[in-house]
Amino acid sequence: MGMKDMLLELREKALQDLQAAKDSQELQDLKVKYLGRKGPMTEILRGMGKVPAADRPKIGEVVNQVKQTLEQTIRDRAEILKEEALKAKIANEKVDITLPGRKPACGHLHPLTLTAREIKRIFIHMGFDVIEGPEIDNDYFNFEALNLPKDHPARDMQDTFYITDNYLLRTQTSGVQARTMQAHEPNTPIRMISPGAVYRNDYDATHSPMFHQVEGLVVDRDISLADLKGTLELFCREMFGDDVKIRLRPSYFPFTEPSCEVDISCVICGGKGCNVCKHSGWLEILGAGEVHPNVLKMSGYDPSIMNGYAFGMGIERIAMLKYGIDDLRLFFENDLRFIRQFR
Ligand code: DAH
């Protein structure tokens, strides 16, 4: 095969390869392969010495032409590949602006938080302070200062979790009564509520080892049960609606005398009788009474000058009645199908 045919064949092969190059890296590799120092073109140029002198100008011209053709093709092909790469990139990064946006996950308050806030709102409007007490308390504030000495049988109903013999998870928010009086000068008037978690050794559909209460304490001169009843009636109307009625039933608590339990007319049947109120027409919502003189005395208040009332209600119970929830454990299982209903 003559030199010229070899060159033309090489050109054909090279052009085919260059057209088939899929990206600029492949193109670069082909450039090295055909035009590089170890490539066939270089070899051919080196062999020019063996070509008869008469043929040299002609062959030389073909060599140059082939070389120029290949170089030009490489430049054109590079341009095309660059453009294709850009188009592919743009197509890849295309954003479909007609898709609906992603909503940020937005949390909301737990039904117990909502209920506690509503209770606080109502009492704050009536001029009550909101006071917090410790969840780990000692025997003195949880029992003793509330007229529950060590051997008092009423302690049995409030078994709890002891940290030491003296320190325990409080069983009731009532200890904040004594704490608040002792934080003031003796006989300073008090009007406060104290919401928070309490703990007992209980677990069933209406009892959980941890639950929440709101304590109330009003101490002043000439505070009567009528004040207690009026205040709680207003609270219940705000909480459950204007039609709700309340009644006081005699009861017993060590820290109040006299003591009562407060019922509201059934929020489900309006008082006619249904399953929720066990056909009585009434639902118990809290305990209350006149503060026992011993409780005032133990916290430095003079019961011959000062008196007052106290009450304690369960936040879970209020929430269950307000929202019609029949199992208290739902509050703590964190099932989102339940929780999201309060958004
Ligand atoms: N501490 C009581 C309980 O947990 C509730 C209670 C009843 C609180 C009467 C009071 C009260 O302040 O006067 O069962």
Side-chain angles (χ1 to χ4, degrees):
M1 199 191 293
M3 193 70 140
K4 192 177 166 189
D5 289 335
M6 255 172 67
L7 276 164
L8 294 181
E9 196 172 297
L10 179 64
R11 191 183 70 166
E12 275 328 292
K13 179 80 177 65
L15 287 177
Q16 260 178 31
D17 283 355
L18 290 174
Q19 289 308 331
K22 287 191 296 296
D23 55 42
S24 47
Q25 183 58 51
E26 233 175 83
L27 192 65
Q28 182 59 31
D29 292 346
L30 289 169
K31 186 177 174 182
V32 172
K33 178 178 168 190
Y34 286 107
L35 301 176
R37 277 191 300 114
K38 290 174 190 159
M41 289 303 286
T42 310
E43 204 172 308
I44 287 168
L45 283 170
R46 258 191 226 125
M48 284 295 280
K50 288 179 206 138
V51 175
D55 294 342
R56 248 178 244 163
K58 247 191 171 174
I59 297 293
E61 203 186 321
V62 179
V63 170
N64 277 334
Q65 272 172 9
V66 171
K67 206 178 163 210
Q68 273 166 27
T69 306
L70 293 188
E71 278 167 355
Q72 186 58 46
T73 304
I74 288 167
R75 275 195 297 274
D76 293 349
R77 192 77 191 121
E79 203 54 40
I80 289 167
L81 286 175
K82 213 172 116 189
E83 230 163 86
E84 276 176 3
L86 183 65
K87 269 190 209 147
K89 192 167 177 232
I90 289 169
N92 260 338
E93 290 173 1
K94 193 164 66 180
V95 178
D96 183 352
I97 56 164
T98 65
L99 282 173
R102 263 174 238 158
K103 287 207 187 102
C106 192
H108 60 92
L109 296 176
H110 190 276
L112 288 179
T113 308
L114 292 172
T115 307
R117 286 194 176 187
E118 178 66 1
I119 294 170
K120 280 190 264 185
R121 185 190 68 79
I122 296 167
F123 280 105
I124 287 168
H125 278 191
M126 292 194 276
F128 282 68
D129 293 327
V130 178
I131 291 180
E132 267 186 42
E135 287 177 28
I136 297 173
D137 212 343
N138 57 25
D139 187 274
Y140 171 75
F141 281 116
N142 195 76
F143 292 123
E144 201 114 1
L146 300 170
N147 207 24
L148 276 145
K150 289 245 180 323
D151 54 357
H152 199 290
R155 284 191 178 208
D156 288 353
M157 293 188 300
Q158 300 192 3
D159 184 21
T160 182
F161 306 88
Y162 282 82
I163 288 146
T164 66
D165 280 351
N166 189 31
Y167 277 90
L168 46 87
L169 297 184
R170 67 177 178 187
T171 60
Q172 49 189 355
T173 44
S174 302
V176 188
Q177 290 186 31
R179 285 186 169 276
T180 307
M181 285 190 276
Q182 293 184 27
H184 286 87
E185 284 296 308
N187 302 337
T188 308
I190 290 168
R191 201 192 298 158
M192 70 87 175
I193 57 165
S194 184
V198 299
Y199 302 82
R200 285 186 203 177
N201 186 8
D202 285 330
Y203 191 53
D204 61 38
T206 52
H207 297 89
S208 134
M210 190 272 317
F211 62 106
H212 300 82
Q213 290 186 331
V214 177
E215 194 73 19
L217 176 69
V218 172
V219 182
D220 209 326
R221 290 158 198 256
D222 302 323
I223 300 291
S224 76
L225 274 183
D227 296 314
L228 169 70
K229 191 177 179 196
T231 304
L232 290 179
E233 193 158 11
L234 186 55
F235 165 74
C236 290
R237 285 216 213 110
E238 286 279 313
M239 198 71 197
F240 298 107
D242 278 342
D243 295 334
V244 83
K245 291 189 212 33
I246 73 166
R247 73 173 183 187
L248 274 55
R249 269 183 300 110
S251 185
Y252 170 78
F253 297 102
F255 29 88
T256 43
E257 180 60 35
S259 302
C260 61
E261 261 155 321
V262 177
D263 298 340
I264 57 170
S265 52
C266 180
V267 287
I268 308 294
C269 64
K272 282 188 227 85
C274 68
N275 279 337
V276 174
C277 61
K278 300 195 185 87
H279 303 283
S280 71
W282 296 94
L283 298 162
E284 185 204 318
I285 60 156
L286 57 85
E290 286 265 315
V291 181
H292 197 292
N294 287 351
V295 173
L296 292 169
K297 226 183 297 178
M298 274 187 280
S299 286
Y301 276 55
D302 182 350
S304 69
I305 308 172
M306 307 297 285
N307 72 330
Y309 65 76
F311 58 85
M313 67 182 98
I315 299 181
E316 281 78 1
R317 175 131 184 97
I318 303 284
M320 286 170 85
L321 295 175
K322 190 169 170 64
Y323 297 120
I325 296 161
D326 59 5
D327 191 330
L328 175 140
R329 289 170 291 201
L330 284 166
F331 288 126
F332 308 116
E333 281 168 355
N334 290 332
D335 185 334
L336 291 178
R337 289 169 303 178
F338 170 73
I339 299 288
R340 287 205 171 120
Q341 295 177 52
F342 301 90
R343 222 195 301 245

